[in-house]
Amino acid sequence: MHELADRKIIHVDMDAFYASVEQHDNPDLKGKPIAVGGGSDRGVVAAASYEARKYGVRSAMPSVTAKRLCPDLIFVKSRFDRYREVSVQIREIFHDYTDLVEPLSLDEAYLDVTENKYNFPSATIIAYEIRRRIYEVTGITASAGISVNKFIAKIASDYNKPNGQKTVVPEEIIEFLEQLDIRKFHGIGKVTAEKMYQFGIFTGFDLKQKSLEFLSENFGKSGTHYYKIVRGIHKSPVKADRIRKSLGAERTFSENISSEIFMKERLIQIAEEIEKRISKSDVAGKTVTLKIKFRDFKTQTRSKTLPYFIRDKQTILNTAVELMEQESFRESVRLLGITLSNLNTAKEEEEDFVEVQLGFAF
């Protein structure tokens, strides 16, 4: 078993995956700003090409906003069966090098290549070879980050995007993290970054000057995490079989809904979809969460945990309806979703940490 500071971890992230697949399959779209997703006034952008991103178009953005930012934006209907097909091809390439592959989604994964099937000593060369083969097989590009743990590898994969890679060797980790903009730290979102700015924390170096006590007092349990990651301390092995923690479905409506009768009809459809997914995944859960997005885009969630595992649509539906009726809606609704969590696959996982040691060759 290798010491954690001796691990060689690669994070591979496809470049604008959905949009790149569409541009590859339809050459007329190459070099043009495109958005995958609904182009209607009620639609939401699922992915944007790099040409569209230059205008500020981003995933999860309302289509009307995206169109306003980029008047020449081309909307393309999503084809998730096609994206899954390409994703399978990519994962087959990963498994040519190692069985320690932890997919995060269709377009990104962690690989532990400390011991690999080709006995390559260099993780940097392996990452390059993987990216080259992905392009040969699929015609789309990928970026990669390479380091001793998943946290640093993920940050590094974004460093030279698109179609690039970056290796952060142990002796460079501290300097790399110190000069990093705090917004680049994976897990620090917009709200947390704004709070850190108020404390004069703008870079990794600034964060490192804060004591564990200060960070814990101001950021709760996350404070310990921030204290450790800025020092390159992060133990989380690549898990070849990632544990599913939740399962859900949601629907955005073509028109806002204010009638509870119509809402219940939509919840029936969503519960049926979840039951299908449960059957495929062979799981059950105890916690039902109802997601409501109102016409002003504000989102509310309501949850209930049952004393037993459930997997049938009727119980899921009954619980969701009960949550809906807890409090009347003051605004009309544009989206409803149901998530089943607290699954029977879940395991208690503790995050352990180790100090990074220097001197390991990459």
Side-chain angles (χ1 to χ4, degrees), residues 101-105 239-244:
V101 177
E102 180 180 341
L104 301 177
S105 60
K239 306 180 185 76
D241 296 310
R242 294 187 75 234
I243 299 170
R244 179 186 284 276

Side-chain angles (χ1 to χ4, degrees), residues 65-299:
T65 304
K67 192 70 176 177
R68 186 170 64 248
L69 291 172
C70 180
D72 295 327
L73 188 65
I74 301 169
F75 286 94
V76 181
K77 188 176 180 181
S78 58
R79 299 180 298 150
F80 284 98
D81 287 344
R82 173 60 175 150
Y83 309 146
R84 291 188 188 96
E85 178 185 341
V86 177
S87 181
V88 168
Q89 293 177 309
I90 294 167
R91 290 184 190 178
E92 287 175 350
I93 293 172
F94 293 160
H95 281 282
D96 279 348
Y97 295 85
T98 177
D99 289 328
L100 289 177
V101 177
E102 180 180 341
L104 301 177
S105 60
L106 292 178
D107 63 340
E108 65 174 317
Y110 291 114
L111 292 75
D112 187 330
V113 296
T114 312
E115 294 178 351
N116 57 83
K117 296 179 180 180
Y118 290 90
N119 292 319
F120 282 164
S122 171
T124 300
I125 292 176
I126 293 175
Y128 176 81
E129 284 296 308
I130 287 173
R131 291 175 48 242
R132 180 186 62 79
R133 288 187 57 195
I134 287 174
Y135 185 76
E136 286 182 353
V137 172
T138 69
I140 56 180
T141 63
S143 296
I146 307 98
S147 196
V148 299
N149 63 44
K150 294 197 293 187
F151 175 75
I152 301 171
K154 186 170 178 66
I155 295 176
S157 68
D158 198 44
Y159 210 80
N160 289 319
K161 264 186 170 292
N163 195 25
Q165 66 181 61
K166 181 173 180 60
T167 299
V168 184
V169 297
E171 53 267 31
E172 297 175 351
I173 287 174
I174 300 304
E175 181 182 358
F176 174 75
L177 294 174
E178 284 184 348
Q179 58 81 38
L180 208 63
D181 186 313
I182 203 67
R183 293 171 297 180
K184 297 291 186 180
F185 278 73
H186 176 57
I188 295 181
K190 183 178 179 180
V191 174
T192 302
E194 291 291 340
K195 185 175 181 180
M196 287 189 172
Y197 293 163
Q198 295 174 11
F199 293 118
I201 302 172
F202 298 94
T203 66
F205 178 83
D206 298 331
L207 178 61
K208 196 174 179 183
Q209 306 313 304
K210 303 300 181 182
S211 67
L212 176 59
E213 291 73 22
F214 174 88
L215 293 173
S216 297
E217 180 180 342
N218 290 284
F219 297 95
K221 291 182 179 179
S222 296
T224 302
H225 176 64
Y226 301 147
Y227 180 85
K228 292 176 183 289
I229 60 173
V230 77
R231 290 165 172 77
I233 305 167
H234 184 235
K235 175 187 174 182
S236 179
V238 173
K239 306 180 185 76
D241 296 310
R242 294 187 75 234
I243 299 170
R244 179 186 284 276
K245 296 183 178 179
S246 65
L247 188 152
E250 59 185 39
R251 294 288 183 273
T252 300
F253 313 128
S254 57
E255 295 181 0
N256 294 334
I257 296 176
S258 56
S259 165
E260 284 195 6
I261 295 175
F262 289 154
M263 290 184 200
K264 288 178 182 177
E265 289 178 353
R266 302 306 190 278
L267 288 177
I268 291 172
Q269 297 169 1
I270 296 171
E272 288 175 346
E273 176 63 27
I274 291 177
E275 187 180 53
K276 291 178 184 177
R277 297 183 183 184
I278 287 172
S279 179
K280 288 182 180 179
S281 302
D282 192 25
V283 296
K286 290 184 178 181
T287 302
V288 175
T289 300
L290 176 67
K291 176 181 176 181
I292 311 121
K293 183 178 287 187
F294 298 100
R295 67 176 182 180
D296 60 0
F297 287 90
K298 289 183 179 178
T299 302

